Amino acid sequence: MLVPSFHTFKKFLVHFLLVLLFQNIGIFSANLSTFRSLFTRMSQLQLSALPNKVVKNASVESCAAGCVKETDFECKSFDYDNAIRECHLHNNTHEDLVAILKVAPNVDHYRSAFQKLFNRLPNQVVTISHNRNVPRVSVEECARRCVFEMQFHCRGFDYEQDRKNCWLTDDTPQSSGGVLMRHGVDYYEKRNDGPLSKYVCYGFGSLPPMEGYQIYNKVMLGVTLDACAQLCTAETSFQCASFDYMFTTQACHMSQYVAANVRGMDTNMTPQYRVMHYEKKEKFLEYFYATPYAVVLGHNKKTYHRVTPNRCARNCLEQKEFVCRSFDYQIQEGTCLLSTKTGSDVGGLYYQGLAQVHHFEMKPFLDCGGVLTSESGNFASPNWPRNYAHHLNCSWQIRVPRYKVILFTFVHFDLGRQTRNPCDDANDKLVIEELTTHGLVRFCAALHLGGYVSQANNVTMQFVTNAQHDAQGFRITYKSDWPCHALLIEDNGEFASPGWPAQYPANSDCLWTIHAPHDARVHLRFTSIDLEPHGVGHCSERYDAIEVYDGDSPVAPVLKRFCGSEVAQSVTSSYNILLIKFTSDSRVERTGFHATYMFVYRLTTTTTTTKAPTTTAKAREDYSHIQASSDLIQKALTAMFFEPAPEYPDGNIFSTKPYTVLSATTTTYIVNVKHDDIDGTGNGVDKTNNYYNNGVFIKTMWILVVSLLVLLILVVLVLALVCRYYRRRIPKRRNVPNFPFTEENLSLYEKKNAVDVESEDHDCLDTVVSEPDFDLVLDPDIAFSNPLYEQRYPNSVEDNDASHLSHG
């Protein structure tokens, strides 16, 4: 048996520890879900030093994973040759001064970016007792050391900027009781996936008190920092936007305000006052890394005033004039400064001390495809807002609810040099594909494409790149909406005005054509109608209106016209085609309308012959009565639910027989049975019907009237018997006076022995309550005597005696 060498065992042990390390620190989180995200790409550059290891036929992701998991040497960076798909691993970087970066076509240099795993708080430290000191290293190297630390669980580090000292620690603000102010030292806290990941930490400080305003909506005592974040996230009585956590008392102060609402944070407190401020990451702030107290100096492209941080992030994401990569936000004035640069583009950020200006850098989009099922969202080329990589094959499938379409907006679109045909293999291309009612639609997006409206609710976008060149890429937003023009051929469908239940757009002109099979009609039902209100009278073409045409064009007869706000109504076509037209002007917009439809199929009829039994005349008469009743019921149901249809232009006439609605999975067959004339005269049915109308109907009505009278008499007799029974068994009710007793002016005896007056009850259903007799007095032989009561009310005995004498 072969015994593994010590070197092999060591490599296995180190690799096992690395796997445990990545599981513990949460590398594979929502924001950093790939090894590629731990590195920063530097296009068309190569390290001049010889590689320590070469990996052939590798992708960028596998190359990044190999660099992170390398155990033979410390891999700090790598070069990737896009032409031959070759990976060169290095144990140094261009900052080590032993190698430099040089220009190399088709080669990209990737340097580590472990600093993204930490949240920086300038001029603050977490503790004065650290686990390890690493002298004379950069911030990136210190972050790498913390990530790969094996002897203890490194949760962050303090970094001295002047001396370049790295202090690793397993303490957190929660375990150390908050941060301490220390000039020239920055604290880097490892990001996590817990409740705190939904908040931006601004470090030491709190919301300032405002005279006349209640800053905090709720205060919870004795909770941890994570529990405070969870409570703020789950709060429903108000919109919790931020919280201040006081470590000395473990108090969670939740507020509906952010620092920008109250003109900044309050940091003028003694260092012993351990408090930190956290603000919730709203919808658009989730796309950015926050670096408090830092700015990109002198590289701002556009400025907004009096906006919130979330609104500033939205402006950066929706900016079409340029590619916004970051923004600086001044809290005290609410100023938003958009920029095309990040800290790495300008050689680093400029730190403002405790001046309340914070830097937000857009996170790279990492997903290379996926399935998007929400009704609105966005996606971008991998590594956006930076250049995308080579040899990509990404596919996004966007699905929205049935009967809706998808509106795509190309915020930015740049795929580099393109030939005349966007689908050429020499180009990087974005292929759009969908299956519509007219067939498969497939084309390549061109550079001038600003938006696209799908014809179906399911669209696939495939992004394919080659090894020749790269570019900025694209960023696309989408949302679902009701189509303004559609051909509806499926049974049991629905449609609505664009934007419903929100307001429809102005100057709309929409057409929907519902096409049923040839032997069916269209039954349309409006569930909601809310249009621009009209004046008194009929609908006018000058206002918003809905018109339903009995055909496939506006020249067909108008079945119905709707305007204003109306209740739900139904319309049925005469043929198998129905056209709905919706128009709106430029003045007033409301919520619009929503409608459903279904196909109504005519009855399938067959004729059978049933030979009447040759029996006696009495049997034939009974059989005629039965047949007449069946025919009468059939005619009544037909007249109740359906009306005769008019003639087709080609001469075909819909049957006056009843129609039935057929589902997609169930087929209903209704057969009408026609019997031979029993008496041979041809008038048997009419005679039977006359007999039925004159005889059976009158007898049935008399039976119903007599039955009701008998039932009413029985109910009255039962009620009389029950009343008599309970009148004899239940004693007569007493009239009890309702005295307003109080503890101050009545004794216990008076409360207990109030005399009742009996009254005759002559009716078991009605009880007459008489007024209390205030002339009644208590029995003097058993009068209640209480010395304390007599001392408090000395005249009460005399008054009682006097009352007794006067009524005696």
Side-chain angles (χ1 to χ4, degrees):
M1 183 177 62
L2 296 178
V3 179
S5 63
F6 176 76
H7 180 69
T8 305
F9 177 76
K10 180 181 178 181
K11 289 178 60 177
F12 172 78
L13 180 61
V14 173
H15 180 74
F16 177 74
L17 291 175
L18 282 173
V19 173
L20 292 179
L21 172 67
F22 291 128
Q23 293 177 351
N24 291 333
I25 66 175
I27 287 289
F28 306 103
S29 62
N31 297 330
L32 298 170
S33 58
T34 64
F35 288 100
R36 163 69 182 82
S37 61
L38 296 176
F39 295 86
T40 299
R41 176 173 176 260
M42 306 176 71
S43 179
Q44 296 186 356
L45 292 175
Q46 184 179 4
L47 202 63
S48 60
L50 293 175
N52 295 75
K53 189 175 183 179
V54 177
V55 181
K56 296 183 179 181
N57 194 22
S59 64
V60 176
E61 175 64 22
S62 62
C63 192
C67 185
V68 172
K69 298 179 181 180
E70 184 59 49
T71 58
D72 291 339
F73 60 93
E74 186 178 4
C75 181
K76 298 181 179 180
S77 64
F78 64 90
D79 297 327
Y80 186 78
D81 194 327
N82 298 283
I84 59 177
R85 307 190 69 174
E86 190 172 88
C87 176
H88 299 170
L89 305 183
H90 297 274
N91 67 342
N92 47 40
T93 66
H94 65 282
E95 297 178 349
D96 296 338
L97 302 180
V98 297
I100 60 174
L101 292 174
K102 60 181 182 180
V103 179
N106 298 326
V107 179
D108 297 329
H109 178 70
Y110 290 83
R111 62 181 179 86
S112 63
F114 288 95
Q115 188 177 346
K116 293 181 180 179
L117 299 175
F118 296 85
N119 179 45
R120 174 184 172 274
L121 296 176
N123 298 314
Q124 302 177 46
V125 296
V126 69
T127 182
I128 57 175
S129 176
H130 299 84
N131 298 79
R132 174 172 295 178
N133 173 242
V134 183
R136 296 181 298 278
V137 294
S138 64
V139 177
E140 176 62 25
E141 181 65 22
C142 189
R144 293 183 73 257
R145 293 296 182 92
C146 185
V147 170
F148 289 102
E149 180 60 47
M150 295 294 182
Q151 297 184 3
F152 61 93
H153 189 185
C154 182
R155 299 178 181 272
F157 60 91
D158 294 324
Y159 185 79
E160 293 183 82
Q161 302 172 8
D162 296 335
R163 300 181 180 181
K164 293 186 176 181
N165 273 341
C166 172
W167 302 87
L168 307 181
T169 179
D170 59 357
D171 278 330
T172 62
Q174 175 70 35
S175 61
S176 62
V179 294
L180 299 172
M181 303 298 296
R182 186 67 58 89
H183 181 72
V185 185
D186 299 336
Y187 169 56
Y188 289 82
E189 181 184 12
K190 185 175 293 182
R191 306 179 191 272
N192 56 59
D193 294 334
L196 285 176
S197 63
K198 301 181 181 297
Y199 294 83
V200 178
C201 177
Y202 290 97
F204 180 78
S206 66
L207 295 177
M210 299 288 291
E211 185 177 357
Y213 291 91
Q214 183 66 32
I215 297 298
Y216 300 115
N217 299 78
K218 183 180 290 188
V219 178
M220 301 293 291
L221 302 178
V223 297
T224 63
L225 180 59
D226 288 338
C228 183
Q230 185 66 32
L231 289 172
C232 185
T233 303
E235 183 58 49
T236 58
S237 61
F238 66 96
Q239 186 177 0
C240 183
S242 67
F243 66 88
D244 295 332
Y245 187 80
M246 299 182 181
F247 293 90
T248 54
T249 59
Q250 290 188 334
C252 176
H253 294 68
M254 293 176 282
S255 175
Q256 62 180 334
Y257 303 106
V258 296
N261 299 133
V262 292
R263 303 185 65 83
M265 292 169 49
D266 185 10
T267 58
N268 298 322
M269 296 174 288
T270 59
Q272 290 75 20
Y273 193 70
R274 301 289 187 90
V275 61
M276 295 177 66
H277 180 66
Y278 294 82
E279 291 188 4
K280 182 181 293 184
K281 295 178 183 177
E282 299 295 340
K283 176 180 178 180
F284 299 101
L285 275 179
E286 289 282 355
Y287 293 96
F288 293 84
Y289 293 114
T291 307
Y293 307 102
V295 296
V296 175
L297 195 62
H299 293 276
N300 305 113
K301 296 285 291 185
K302 184 177 284 190
T303 303
Y304 296 90
H305 298 282
R306 306 304 302 166
V307 295
T308 62
N310 189 62
R311 181 64 193 183
C312 188
R314 179 176 180 177
N315 293 339
C316 183
L317 289 168
E318 297 177 350
Q319 184 59 236
K320 293 186 177 182
E321 300 178 7
F322 56 89
V323 178
C324 180
R325 293 188 175 93
S326 66
F327 67 89
D328 297 330
Y329 186 80
Q330 207 279 341
I331 287 183
Q332 293 175 327
E333 301 296 333
T335 305
C336 170
L337 305 121
L338 307 185
S339 177
T340 60
K341 305 294 182 180
T342 61
S344 59
D345 297 328
V346 297
L349 297 174
Y350 179 76
Y351 297 108
Q352 296 280 70
L354 290 180
Q356 298 182 24
V357 183
H358 310 304
H359 179 70
F360 293 83
E361 180 179 338
M362 188 181 297
K363 299 175 183 178
F365 282 73
L366 304 176
D367 295 332
C368 183
V371 179
L372 308 177
T373 57
S374 59
E375 294 203 37
S376 63
N378 67 97
F379 58 96
S381 54
N383 203 40
W384 174 270
R386 303 290 184 181
N387 287 17
Y388 53 80
H390 301 283
H391 305 291
L392 294 176
N393 190 352
C394 308
S395 179
W396 290 270
Q397 185 178 10
I398 302 95
R399 293 201 303 258
V400 298
R402 194 180 178 188
Y403 303 112
K404 288 191 175 184
V405 296
I406 311 172
L407 281 64
F408 295 95
T409 301
F410 290 76
V411 182
H412 293 283
F413 189 77
D414 180 14
L415 301 184
R417 293 175 295 176
Q418 296 281 302
T419 61
R420 182 170 297 180
N421 184 9
C423 290
D424 287 343
D425 293 336
N427 301 329
D428 296 336
K429 52 193 173 184
L430 180 65
V431 183
I432 302 175
E433 185 177 286
E434 63 172 319
L435 183 62
T436 68
T437 55
H438 302 286
L440 181 65
V441 176
R442 187 176 188 273
F443 65 96
C444 296
L447 296 179
H448 63 273
L449 185 63
Y452 174 68
V453 180
S454 69
Q455 302 180 47
N457 67 320
N458 194 337
V459 177
T460 300
M461 290 194 176
Q462 186 177 15
F463 181 50
V464 181
T465 65
N466 52 35
Q468 297 178 4
H469 57 270
D470 56 12
Q472 187 78 46
F474 59 86
R475 182 172 174 271
I476 302 174
T477 62
Y478 74 91
K479 66 176 182 179
S480 65
D481 200 356
W482 299 96
C484 185
H485 298 272
L487 173 63
L488 306 174
I489 61 175
E490 296 183 4
D491 196 0
N492 296 320
E494 60 179 320
F495 63 97
S497 56
W500 187 86
Q503 291 184 349
Y504 52 81
N507 301 316
S508 299
D509 190 4
C510 303
L511 290 174
W512 295 270
T513 303
I514 306 175
H515 199 295
H518 181 71
D519 58 342
R521 292 185 292 178
V522 180
H523 180 74
L524 177 67
R525 181 177 182 271
F526 288 90
T527 61
S528 173
I529 300 177
D530 182 22
L531 306 181
E532 176 186 6
H534 288 224
V536 180
H538 298 288
C539 297
S540 173
E541 296 180 355
R542 297 178 300 172
Y543 299 92
D544 304 342
I546 306 170
E547 295 176 309
V548 182
Y549 297 92
D550 195 10
D552 58 355
S553 66
V555 298
V558 178
L559 292 177
K560 196 71 175 178
R561 180 179 283 110
F562 301 98
C563 58
S565 299
E566 299 190 17
V567 296
Q569 298 191 31
S570 300
V571 179
T572 303
S573 66
S574 301
Y575 316 111
N576 62 327
I577 299 178
L578 203 64
L579 179 68
I580 300 92
K581 182 180 179 181
F582 169 66
T583 56
S584 65
D585 54 25
S586 59
R587 290 187 295 271
V588 179
E589 291 78 38
R590 303 293 287 269
T591 59
F593 72 92
H594 176 264
T596 61
Y597 69 90
M598 61 181 177
F599 298 156
V600 181
Y601 293 85
R602 63 177 175 177
L603 185 67
T604 302
T605 61
T606 60
T607 302
T608 61
T609 302
T610 303
K611 186 176 181 181
T614 56
T615 56
T616 62
K618 177 63 177 176
R620 288 199 301 269
E621 183 179 357
D622 295 339
Y623 186 81
S624 299
H625 293 174
I626 296 173
Q627 180 187 359
S629 301
S630 176
D631 291 343
L632 183 61
I633 294 172
Q634 179 74 8
K635 290 181 179 180
L637 291 176
T638 303
M640 183 181 299
F641 295 104
F642 300 96
E643 297 178 0
E647 295 185 358
Y648 273 106
D650 57 0
N652 294 331
I653 302 177
F654 274 95
S655 173
T656 58
K657 297 296 182 181
Y659 279 67
T660 181
V661 180
L662 303 184
S663 64
T665 58
T666 305
T667 304
T668 304
Y669 297 93
I670 300 179
V671 181
N672 292 337
V673 181
K674 182 177 180 181
H675 301 280
D676 292 337
D677 192 5
I678 298 176
D679 57 3
T681 63
N683 300 322
V685 175
D686 293 338
K687 292 179 179 179
T688 305
N689 289 340
N690 293 335
Y691 178 84
Y692 179 86
N693 292 332
N694 296 330
V696 177
F697 179 76
I698 295 175
K699 291 180 180 179
T700 304
M701 293 300 299
W702 273 108
I703 292 174
L704 289 176
V705 172
V706 173
S707 300
L708 291 176
L709 291 176
V710 172
L711 181 63
L712 180 62
I713 293 173
L714 290 176
V715 171
V716 172
L717 291 177
V718 170
L719 290 177
L721 293 176
V722 171
C723 181
R724 183 178 179 85
Y725 173 78
Y726 279 100
R727 182 178 179 182
R728 292 182 175 181
R729 291 181 60 88
I730 299 177
K732 297 181 180 181
R733 297 184 179 181
R734 300 176 180 272
N735 294 329
V736 181
N738 185 16
F739 290 105
F741 293 120
T742 62
E743 295 293 333
E744 293 182 355
N745 56 13
L746 293 177
S747 67
L748 295 176
Y749 177 80
E750 290 173 313
K751 293 180 183 180
K752 183 177 180 180
N753 296 282
V755 181
D756 301 329
V757 179
E758 295 183 2
S759 63
E760 288 294 329
D761 192 355
H762 301 283
D763 195 338
C764 67
L765 299 178
D766 297 325
T767 301
V768 180
V769 181
S770 62
E771 292 294 327
D773 188 358
F774 291 96
D775 294 335
L776 298 177
V777 297
L778 302 178
D779 190 350
D781 297 334
I782 54 174
F784 181 78
S785 177
N786 190 334
L788 296 179
Y789 183 81
E790 295 172 358
Q791 292 177 5
R792 185 175 181 183
Y793 302 98
N795 299 325
S796 59
V797 178
E798 298 176 1
D799 295 339
N800 288 337
D801 295 338
S803 177
H804 176 67
L805 293 175
S806 62
H807 290 284

